[in-house]
Structure formats: C-alpha cells, structure tokens
Amino acid sequence: LKTSKEFHEFQINHTIVISSIKTNMENYVNGGVPMNLNLMLQQTIDLSHSCKTSLELFDMVHNLRASDDSIYAHSLNVALISRRLGHWLKMEQDELALVTLCGLLHDIGKLRIPAEILNKPDKYTDEEFALVQSHPKLSYELLKPLPIDERVKRGALSHHERCDGSGYPQRLTQNDTDDFALLIAIGDVYDAMTAARSYRAPLCPFQAIANFERDGLSKYKPQFILTFLQHMANMYQNNRIMLSDGRSANIVMLNQNSLSKPIVQFDDGSCLDLSTQSDLHIQSIL
C-alpha cells in the first residue's frame, strides 16, 4: 500500500489538512483569529471521499502513523473515523457534516495544556493527570462563543463520558450525554488504540476490537458500538492475518459473539476457531 500512487496522494492531502487544522486552531486559541471551519470541514470531507471504500480509508489511516500527533492528526483521524461510523448508521448529510466537525474540534482544549505534559512518556503525577483530564472543559470553553451547532460544543465537552457513568468530566450516563459525543467517543478511543505509544506499538484492528469487547460494551451506546465493531470486522473478512504465535492464515468466518476471534484457515486447509483459543489472538493484518 505504501508504494501505491493512491497512498502517496492520500498522504499529501492528509498532511495538507493537518496543516490547515493546526494553523486555524493555533491562530484562534493564541490570537483570537476566527477559524475557517468551512474550509477545514470541506477538506476533511474531500479526504474521506478520496477513498473508494471503508477498507481503503482505514488502511490509509493505519499506514500514516508516522505522522501521528496527539492533537492535529488525531483530530483529523477521529473526524474521518466518526464520519464513517455516521455513514454506517445511515445519518443524513447535515448530521454527517456535524459529526465530522465534532471530530475535528473535540480536542481543541489540548492547546491550553503544555506540550511537555501532554506528550510526557512517563506516568503522569496526580496533578498532571487532572490537568490532562480538564481538556474537554477547556475545549468547550473555547468553542462556546462560536456560532456553531450546540451539539458540536457538547461533543467536545462530553466525548470522554461513558454510558455507564464511568467517564469524565461529569460522570454522565447515556441518557444525559449527547449522541454526537457518544459517537465520536468511539472514534477517539479507536484512533488512540491504533496509534503508536511510547510503551507499545500500534494495535491492529482486531486487537482494538478485542479491547472494546474486553472493556465492556456497556460503556458505549449499543447501536453505535455494535455497528462499528460489526463493520470493522466485516471489512477484514477473507483478509490474510498473522496470529500471535507467528502463523499466518486467512479469515474465513466471523464469530458474532466474539468478533475479535474469527475462524481462520491455514495454508494446509485446516481451520481454527480462535474463540476457543484463549492464548491466541490476531497480531496483525497482512
């Protein structure tokens, strides 16, 4: 993929949009210059439309991890992922635009947090952790004066809330949290899991699905998370993968009750149901 013309074009356009997001956000936060939200939104929509399929979009994003950062590339990726989830949920075009804008702006408050804390590779102190966890409120305060849909502002404030009340900053439950916030929460977590961290390599899509399943789907709106995981797993049907023991195989059938553990077929024709193997998992997509 990385040698293809399509990837190079996507990489160039991805970098251009990140630069646009960075310039607009920094000028607004540091100098009060109005953001060109229409430009940022249209650039993101065009980038999304440049991929013919969902699989192509996710493959492009997964292979651009060298350009990952904790604010700008992350915001763009969350916008792209959330927009695709909105499409899978059959949202109308105006709602898809708002979901995309939610993804772009949800972490703008991180610009108020010193970079040395935000990107600290070591464990946070309690004070630093509290500061990092203040970013949803900081995002909301920055967006509050803008003439944009209230759902975008609430999305920024509540994207770390969880349906079971275990999130922050207000420990809201599903009934008290805006749907847009619950939707971009999934894109936010998925992008974070599949990005490189100082303490681990990027997780592959099936490892991310496994984490969602292990953490408990009750944290997320059932319609949203089940739609997301089902489509993610379906995208890789018949794909070649490598298992955690180094063997390669093809995915031949999904297990609906354990999407991260499909049935795979080896080159000798034998099959293995990964849902029966507690010590085996999909390590990477080949």
Side-chain angles (χ1 to χ4, degrees), residues 102 106 136 139-140 143-144 148-161 169-170 172 176-182 184:
C102 272
H106 77 289
S139 294
Y140 180 76
L143 299 178
K144 191 175 180 180
I148 55 176
D149 194 292
E150 286 298 317
R151 287 172 289 180
V152 177
K153 300 174 187 179
R154 291 196 298 269
L157 178 62
S158 303
H159 68 276
H160 279 289
E161 302 290 358
Q170 297 172 289
L172 301 179
D176 300 314
T177 309
D178 191 275
D179 266 0
F180 280 14
L182 295 174
I184 65 168

Side-chain angles (χ1 to χ4, degrees), residues 105-123:
L105 299 176
H106 77 289
D107 268 353
I108 191 172
K110 285 183 176 178
L111 272 72
R112 293 288 198 203
I113 299 173
E116 61 269 19
I117 293 178
L118 204 58
N119 301 317
K120 182 181 176 182
D122 305 319
K123 187 177 181 180

Side-chain angles (χ1 to χ4, degrees), residues 54-55 58 84-85 87-90 209 224-237 254 259:
S54 297
L55 179 58
F58 279 87
R84 191 53 52 129
L85 174 53
H87 175 74
W88 290 335
L89 291 165
K90 304 189 186 314
I209 293 171
F224 292 175
I225 190 63
L226 293 176
T227 297
F228 182 74
L229 297 183
Q230 185 71 56
H231 277 82
M232 289 301 301
N234 279 336
M235 278 198 308
Y236 295 101
Q237 184 83 277
L254 298 179
L259 291 169

Side-chain angles (χ1 to χ4, degrees), residues 61-264:
V61 170
H62 290 150
N63 280 280
L64 276 174
R65 287 314 183 181
S67 66
D68 185 65
D69 62 69
S70 61
I71 301 178
Y72 310 108
H74 173 66
S75 296
L76 175 55
N77 291 343
V78 172
L80 292 170
I81 294 166
S82 300
R83 181 179 179 84
R84 191 53 52 129
L85 174 53
H87 175 74
W88 290 335
L89 291 165
K90 304 189 186 314
M91 285 184 166
E92 300 292 338
Q93 288 301 315
D94 59 337
E95 288 189 315
L96 283 177
L98 287 176
V99 163
T100 307
L101 195 58
C102 272
L104 288 172
L105 299 176
H106 77 289
D107 268 353
I108 191 172
K110 285 183 176 178
L111 272 72
R112 293 288 198 203
I113 299 173
E116 61 269 19
I117 293 178
L118 204 58
N119 301 317
K120 182 181 176 182
D122 305 319
K123 187 177 181 180
Y124 290 130
T125 65
D126 290 344
E127 293 78 12
E128 290 169 341
F129 189 59
L131 180 58
V132 171
Q133 284 200 321
S134 73
H135 77 268
K137 288 184 177 180
L138 295 173
S139 294
Y140 180 76
E141 289 168 6
L142 285 166
L143 299 178
K144 191 175 180 180
L146 300 182
I148 55 176
D149 194 292
E150 286 298 317
R151 287 172 289 180
V152 177
K153 300 174 187 179
R154 291 196 298 269
L157 178 62
S158 303
H159 68 276
H160 279 289
E161 302 290 358
R162 297 293 179 259
C163 291
D164 60 0
S166 64
Y168 66 90
Q170 297 172 289
R171 301 188 71 82
L172 301 179
T173 58
Q174 178 176 326
N175 293 338
D176 300 314
T177 309
D178 191 275
D179 266 0
F180 280 14
L182 295 174
L183 191 153
I184 65 168
I186 295 171
D188 180 53
V189 172
Y190 180 82
D191 187 66
M193 285 195 289
T194 54
R197 290 290 180 262
S198 58
Y199 51 87
R200 62 157 172 78
L203 302 184
C204 91
F206 279 93
Q207 289 173 308
I209 293 171
N211 279 356
F212 275 118
E213 291 176 331
R214 186 164 52 248
D215 288 347
L217 302 184
S218 61
K219 291 181 181 293
Y220 305 94
K221 183 167 181 175
Q223 179 191 6
F224 292 175
I225 190 63
L226 293 176
T227 297
F228 182 74
L229 297 183
Q230 185 71 56
H231 277 82
M232 289 301 301
N234 279 336
M235 278 198 308
Y236 295 101
Q237 184 83 277
N238 301 317
N239 243 83
R240 194 156 183 83
I241 53 87
M242 185 175 74
L243 297 176
S244 52
D245 64 0
R247 289 182 292 171
S248 58
N250 293 315
I251 296 172
V252 293
M253 186 179 296
L254 298 179
N255 279 309
Q256 295 304 319
N257 294 324
S258 183
L259 291 169
S260 62
K261 296 267 197 171
I263 298 170
V264 300

